[in-house]
């Protein structure tokens, strides 16, 4: 059973926490959250890829430098893999050879993936490995998004500076694709990560749903020099829609143990955010703001803060976390957040490491605790800028 932070019985116990931890260290106990297993299958459009290599990186800087924290072991059947990792956050990539002998690559859309005591199962979709080409011209980068080697019209592509670190949300710039799947960014010289998305609905922001397309190139991060125009092709794959991706009957794919265990497939864990709202609120809108802190009072950067409409519920319930909400942002380096709301009502406010579903063991999570039902009442035009949230790891 989940307990929210700052319940009175827990607060009385927190003073004992250093003593308990010290005792466990003395007797040699291993605390929970020590590590976990990531398993899954590597697929091309022709089916499982034998000999695929999965790499886990502790940061995107390590990924860009080619320094993995761990490399997968082959599974019991073609395409299957296993990674044993210490608890933490990882960027997962895959390499393999496609059926025509060309190199394949994949960057998992869950990145960075949180690994804890709960085993995870990942389907990974290999696409052709692509590289950027550059020549003298206006400083910037353009290219084409493709799906199954065909241009992808009407999606969006976002450019993130390399220091962005997690590469979600709207990025530094976001452009829509033309009918031929083309895009262009005027960018200053620097290093950038490009990620594309195409949703089945009529919106261009928010979490990518099952069957939507996620697009990433092995050329990331791209380096742009002053006076240089670069182009790149970015291949896409469908979010956890194996039947849509394979050319063969999907029943030929074996070993999909995600039906029997808690999965980390993209359609079950929503990880994107809609980005920070404009600096100046729109006329008549309301805003919520404050800081996200841990139990020691330290600001927590990069956490997702979401406001969920109560939808008639007079008390927070865990299934609310599975709802899709357009009111989402991320904390800055000082743990600050601000969400703009276009309507009044009761909202439940949460802060956590990732979005979608119930919190996993060891995940940082915080819930507004300013009243008994955990709700924030918002009126038209109200500006509530002192709502702090406290996060702590969820215990197994």
């Amino acid at each position: 059973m989940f307990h929210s932070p700052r319940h009175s019985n827990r607060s009385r116990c927190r003073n004992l926490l250093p003593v308990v931890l010290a005792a466990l260290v003395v007797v040699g106990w291993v605390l929970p959250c020590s590590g976990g297993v990531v398993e899954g299958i590597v697929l091309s459009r022709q089916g499982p890829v034998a000999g695929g290599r999965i790499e886990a990186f502790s940061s995107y800087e390590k990924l860009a430098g080619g320094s993995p924290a761990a490399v997968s072991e082959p599974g019991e059947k073609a395409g299957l893999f296993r990674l044993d990792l210490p608890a933490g956050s990882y960027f997962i990539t895959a390499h393999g050879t496609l059926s025509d002998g060309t190199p394949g690559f994949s960057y998992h859309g869950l990145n960075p993936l949180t690994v804890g005591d709960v085993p995870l199962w990942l389907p990974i979709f290999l696409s052709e490995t692509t590289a950027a080409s550059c020549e003298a011209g206006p400083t910037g980068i353009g290219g084409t998004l493709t799906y199954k080697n065909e241009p992808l019209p009407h999606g969006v592509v976002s450019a993130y500076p390399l220091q962005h670190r997690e590469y979600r949300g709207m990025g530094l710039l976001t452009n829509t694709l033309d009918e031929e799947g083309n895009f262009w960014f005027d960018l200053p010289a620097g290093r950038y990560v490009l990620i594309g998305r195409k949703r089945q609905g009529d919106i261009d922001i928010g979490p990518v749903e099952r069957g939507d397309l996620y697009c990433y190139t092995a050329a990331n991060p791209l380096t742009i020099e002053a006076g240089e125009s670069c182009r790149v092709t970015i291949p896409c794959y469908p979010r956890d829609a194996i039947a849509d991706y394979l050319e063969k009957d999907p029943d030929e794919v074996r070993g999909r143990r995600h039906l029997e265990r808690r999965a980390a497939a993209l359609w079950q864990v929503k990880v994107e955010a809609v980005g920070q709202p404009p600096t100046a609120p729109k006329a008549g809108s309301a805003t919520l703001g404050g800081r996200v802190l841990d139990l020691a009072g330290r600001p927590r950067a990069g956490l997702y803060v979401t406001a969920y409409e109560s939808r008639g519920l007079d008390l927070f319930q865990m299934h609310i976390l599975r709802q899709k909400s357009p009111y989402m942002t991320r904390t800055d380096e000082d743990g600050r957040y601000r969400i703009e709301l276009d309507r009044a009502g009761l909202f439940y406010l949460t802060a956590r490491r990732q979005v979608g579903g119930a919190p996993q063991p060891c995940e940082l999570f915080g819930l507004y605790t300013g009243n008994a039902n955990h709700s924030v009442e918002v009126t038209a035009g109200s500006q509530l800028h002192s709502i702090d949230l406290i996060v702590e790891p969820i215990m197994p």
Side-chain angles (χ1 to χ4, degrees), residues 64-362:
S67 302
V71 179
S72 65
E73 301 173 1
E76 57 199 30
K77 295 182 180 179
L80 298 183
F81 71 88
R82 175 188 174 99
L83 277 169
D84 292 285
L85 295 168
S89 180
Y90 297 91
F91 290 82
I92 303 295
T93 65
H95 298 265
T97 302
L98 303 179
S99 60
D100 61 1
T102 61
F105 174 81
S106 181
Y107 172 94
H108 203 281
L110 256 181
N111 288 328
L113 173 73
T114 300
V115 175
D117 284 351
V118 179
L120 303 178
W121 198 97
L122 302 177
I124 295 182
F125 301 86
L126 284 188
S127 300
E128 61 275 14
T129 298
T130 57
S133 60
C134 301
E135 60 184 19
T139 306
I141 188 165
T144 305
L145 266 63
T146 63
Y147 178 53
K148 297 184 177 180
N149 297 320
E150 296 293 331
L152 180 70
H154 303 309
V156 298
V157 59
S158 298
Y160 304 87
L162 181 59
Q163 61 269 27
H164 191 278
R165 298 188 181 279
E166 293 192 357
Y167 316 109
R168 297 171 184 159
M170 300 299 287
L172 175 66
L173 293 172
T174 294
N175 283 346
T176 56
L177 306 176
D178 65 17
E179 291 289 340
E180 287 75 40
N182 296 317
F183 67 91
W184 173 260
F185 292 105
D186 288 308
L187 292 168
R191 302 189 74 190
Y192 299 92
V193 174
L194 298 186
I195 295 178
R197 302 165 180 90
K198 183 176 181 180
R199 295 164 176 83
Q200 299 173 92
D202 58 357
I203 61 172
D204 290 331
I205 61 174
V208 177
E209 303 291 345
R210 185 180 187 183
D212 294 347
L213 300 182
Y214 184 87
C215 319
Y216 185 95
T217 171
N220 281 324
L222 298 126
T223 300
I224 303 175
E225 304 289 350
E228 188 174 69
S229 294
C230 298
R231 290 193 60 83
V232 67
T233 297
I234 305 179
C236 306
Y237 65 84
R239 175 176 174 172
D240 201 56
I242 293 177
D244 293 341
Y245 193 67
L246 294 180
E247 292 181 351
K248 294 184 177 183
D249 184 344
D251 288 340
E252 295 181 15
V253 179
R254 300 290 185 244
R256 287 185 279 163
R257 283 177 279 178
H258 63 301
L259 298 176
E260 303 165 6
R261 64 201 317 185
R262 185 185 181 99
L266 279 175
W267 66 275
Q268 289 181 299
V269 183
K270 299 178 175 62
V271 296
E272 295 180 67
V274 298
Q276 295 286 349
T279 302
K282 298 176 182 178
S285 66
T287 58
L288 302 177
R291 302 182 76 195
V292 176
L293 310 169
D294 61 19
L295 292 173
R298 297 169 298 199
R300 300 303 303 232
L303 296 188
Y304 295 98
V305 180
T306 308
Y308 296 94
E309 293 185 79
S310 67
R311 301 182 187 275
L313 294 175
D314 57 4
L315 183 66
F316 177 83
Q317 299 178 27
M318 288 301 293
H319 69 80
I320 291 173
L321 298 178
R322 295 188 180 276
Q323 297 177 5
K324 179 178 178 179
S325 174
Y327 310 118
M328 186 187 302
T329 189
R330 298 192 51 201
T331 56
D332 64 16
E333 293 298 322
D334 294 322
R336 298 187 182 280
Y337 72 91
R338 187 168 69 85
I339 298 177
E340 185 174 325
L341 305 173
D342 59 5
R343 65 191 65 190
L346 291 179
F347 290 83
Y348 296 112
L349 198 60
T350 66
R352 60 186 301 190
R353 175 64 64 187
Q354 58 189 34
V355 182
Q360 298 185 27
C362 310

